[in-house]
Amino acid sequence: MSWVSKTLNSTLGRKVLMALTGLFLILFLVVHLAGNLQLLIPDGGEAFNKYAATMANNPFIKVVSIGNFAFILIHVIYSIILSRHNKKSRPVGYSITKASSNSTWASRNMGILGTFLLIFILVHLKGFYYEVKFGSIPMTTYEGVEFKDVFAIVSAAYSNVLYVAFYVLSMGFLAFHLSHGFASAFQTLGLNHVKYSPLIRKVGLVFSILIPALFALIPLVMFFQN
């Protein structure tokens, strides 16, 4: 067995891979949010549709998208492996008496949070990514150039109160997931220090509240505007 296989099959190696993929997905959230905020520009969807066209046709973005899907899959698989390993190796008594006093609710329930978020991702991909790629999308024209009217698809989805409620609830789960995962990733990679760790935790807390809140704001605003 090569050193790569040994590393990836060790508990530490799995945690490092979880941390790296987690940090990549955190960066993706920022980029994805920047694009989605264009939905709130009062131009009838022109800025967002042009952004969507750029994302769909740029070769670099296509490669990054494939990598993003791969990292999500790796993150999910290794989270399941680590959760099962931790459950087997942790005595029940210790779990009840110690874990609750020395860890946060989010850290003890990352499996539940992650499972719910996976369901959200699958629903989200089916409703938007799949429809844009393979569905029947209306077209619109700007300055004589045709674009897929992705804004119309998003607007229709966000007019559904059940979907909006599901989206906002999912962002709440994402906030809890990030509140533990952000600082935990830096700690796993050995980037913790007495001087800097408190700052990392504070930045992580702000990030875990701000990013999901802004994501949740978009469907709420569009719902009340419809």
Side-chain angles (χ1 to χ4, degrees):
M1 184 180 291
S2 67
W3 69 269
V4 175
S5 298
K6 288 181 180 179
T7 300
L8 294 180
N9 285 310
S10 68
T11 300
L12 178 59
R14 290 166 180 167
K15 288 182 177 179
V16 168
L17 196 55
M18 277 283 291
L20 291 174
T21 54
L23 289 175
F24 175 86
L25 295 175
I26 285 172
L27 178 60
F28 166 76
L29 285 176
V30 176
V31 176
H32 192 50
L33 175 62
N36 282 9
L37 285 173
Q38 296 182 66
L39 286 163
L40 301 183
I41 298 175
D43 62 354
E46 180 176 350
F48 182 76
N49 283 334
K50 289 182 176 179
Y51 157 77
T54 299
M55 296 294 285
N57 298 318
N58 188 303
F60 175 74
I61 298 299
K62 289 181 179 180
V63 172
V64 172
S65 296
I66 294 172
N68 184 57
F69 291 139
F71 285 149
I72 290 174
L73 186 61
I74 293 171
H75 197 75
V76 169
I77 291 173
Y78 275 86
S79 67
I80 294 172
I81 293 173
L82 285 170
S83 294
R84 294 183 65 181
H85 174 78
N86 292 337
K87 188 174 182 180
K88 288 181 180 179
S89 62
R90 183 187 301 137
V92 176
Y94 178 87
S95 169
I96 296 174
T97 60
K98 297 291 185 180
S100 59
S101 60
N102 296 328
S103 59
T104 64
W105 180 87
S107 67
R108 297 193 303 274
N109 293 279
M110 289 294 277
I112 296 174
L113 295 170
T115 300
F116 190 93
L117 290 174
L118 177 60
I119 294 172
F120 167 76
I121 290 171
L122 294 175
V123 172
H124 195 64
L125 288 175
K126 171 61 176 68
F128 296 109
Y129 181 84
Y130 180 85
E131 289 300 322
V132 171
K133 288 291 184 180
F134 308 107
S136 179
I137 303 295
M139 303 298 290
T140 187
T141 303
Y142 304 116
E143 301 167 356
V145 180
E146 274 198 330
F147 291 84
K148 288 184 176 181
D149 196 355
V150 184
F151 179 84
I153 301 299
V154 177
S155 182
Y158 291 165
S159 65
N160 185 326
V161 65
L162 293 179
Y163 186 82
V164 171
F166 173 64
Y167 193 107
V168 172
L169 178 63
S170 298
M171 292 306 99
F173 275 72
L174 176 62
F176 279 110
H177 195 75
L178 288 172
S179 68
H180 172 70
F182 190 99
S184 178
F186 283 93
Q187 183 176 352
T188 298
L189 296 174
L191 301 176
N192 55 327
H193 188 275
V194 175
K195 185 177 180 180
Y196 303 115
S197 290
L199 177 60
I200 291 174
R201 285 193 293 269
K202 289 178 181 177
V203 171
L205 180 60
V206 172
F207 185 92
S208 66
I209 294 173
L210 181 62
I211 299 300
L214 289 174
F215 269 115
L217 179 67
I218 296 170
L220 285 173
V221 170
M222 294 185 70
F223 174 76
F224 287 109
Q225 286 179 341
N226 283 329

